């Protein structure tokens, strides 16, 4: 039972354009969401997060949008740069106790120069 | 800068061998996690630990065990390695919530032949 889904395994975007990565979740107990970026042969690194009390969080070129009613979040990268080429994982957690993160299956983003 | 260190980047082991993957963090984090990453399957949780000598099964614990004798060290043990355990193994740590982000190690690429 995949509680966090990234339905696009891969995405190619022209350099300078906007990249939009999508993530859906099914568990209504999730109320904290994160995006991680992973290069080959390296561990994932934290990118940006959002709490369910917000619908948008921005950090430089990265913006995460949360639509709680649709159980959907998206990561926008603008403008896209070649160094953004990586696998992106979304992750979710309930906002209580000591709950672990549940990760999606990842989307491989390729930025075309 | 905070760090999670995995002792080996690449390992090749034979079927049936007992394999130890070591992970050390220098952040005094209470929580530590072992994931494996496989194409199309994302990050799947094997085991985690909330404190010294405590351990909890994740989503795919079969064929694995763990040890946490000291707060900074969390070891993953493959009791009898099999070819289907060929994977990228990722260790992570986290402070007790409300900080929910993980810090990951660089990963160990294990090949079982």
């Amino acid at each position: 039972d995949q509680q966090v889904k990234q339905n696009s395994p891969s995405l190619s975007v022209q350099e300078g354009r906007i990249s939009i990565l999508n993530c859906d979740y099914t568990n209504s107990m999730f109320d904290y969401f994160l995006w991680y970026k992973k290069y080959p042969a390296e561990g994932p690194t934290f990118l940006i997060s959002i709490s369910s009390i917000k619908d948008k969080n921005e950090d430089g070129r990265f913006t995460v949008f949360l639509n709680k009613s649709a159980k959907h979040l998206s990561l926008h990268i603008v403008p896209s740069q070649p160094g953004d080429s990586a696998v992106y994982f979304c992750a979710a957690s309930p906002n209580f106790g000591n709950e672990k993160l549940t990760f999606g299956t990842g989307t491989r983003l390729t930025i075309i120069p | 800068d905070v760090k999670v260190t995995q002792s080996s980047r690449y390992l090749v082991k034979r079927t049936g061998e007992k394999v130890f993957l070591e992970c050390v963090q220098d952040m005094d984090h209470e929580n530590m996690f072992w994931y494996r990453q496989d194409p199309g399957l994302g990050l799947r949780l094997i085991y985690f630990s909330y404190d010294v000598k405590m351990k909890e099964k994740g989503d795919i614990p079969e064929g694995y065990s763990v040890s946490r004798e000291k707060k900074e060290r969390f070891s993953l043990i493959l009791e009898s390695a099999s070819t289907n355990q060929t994977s990228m193994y990722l260790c992570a740590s986290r402070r007790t919530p409300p900080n929910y982000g993980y810090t990951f190690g660089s990963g160990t690429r294990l090949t079982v032949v």
Side-chain angles (χ1 to χ4, degrees), chain A residues 16-29:
Chain A
R17 306 293 287 266
I18 183 171
S19 295
I20 300 176
L21 294 91
N22 294 303
C23 180
D24 298 293
Y25 62 96
T26 57
N27 189 337
S28 57
M29 300 298 286

Side-chain angles (χ1 to χ4, degrees), chain B residues 10-68:
Chain B
Y10 300 94
L11 273 179
V12 180
K13 296 291 181 180
R14 294 196 179 278
T15 301
E17 275 193 78
K18 190 168 186 176
V19 181
F20 293 86
L21 302 184
E22 304 289 345
C23 175
V24 177
Q25 49 99 0
D26 65 359
M27 298 166 282
D28 201 35
H29 284 175
E30 292 84 7
N31 302 339
M32 296 188 75
F33 306 84
W34 274 106
Y35 285 83
R36 61 179 282 179
Q37 182 202 356
D38 300 287
L41 297 176
L43 300 177
R44 293 182 293 165
L45 181 64
I46 304 170
Y47 265 97
F48 58 106
S49 169
Y50 290 139
D51 205 344
V52 177
K53 298 197 185 290
M54 294 181 67
K55 58 185 178 184
E56 299 280 344
K57 291 181 180 179
D59 301 317
I60 51 164
E62 296 78 19
Y64 303 94
S65 63
V66 290
S67 172
R68 192 156 181 213

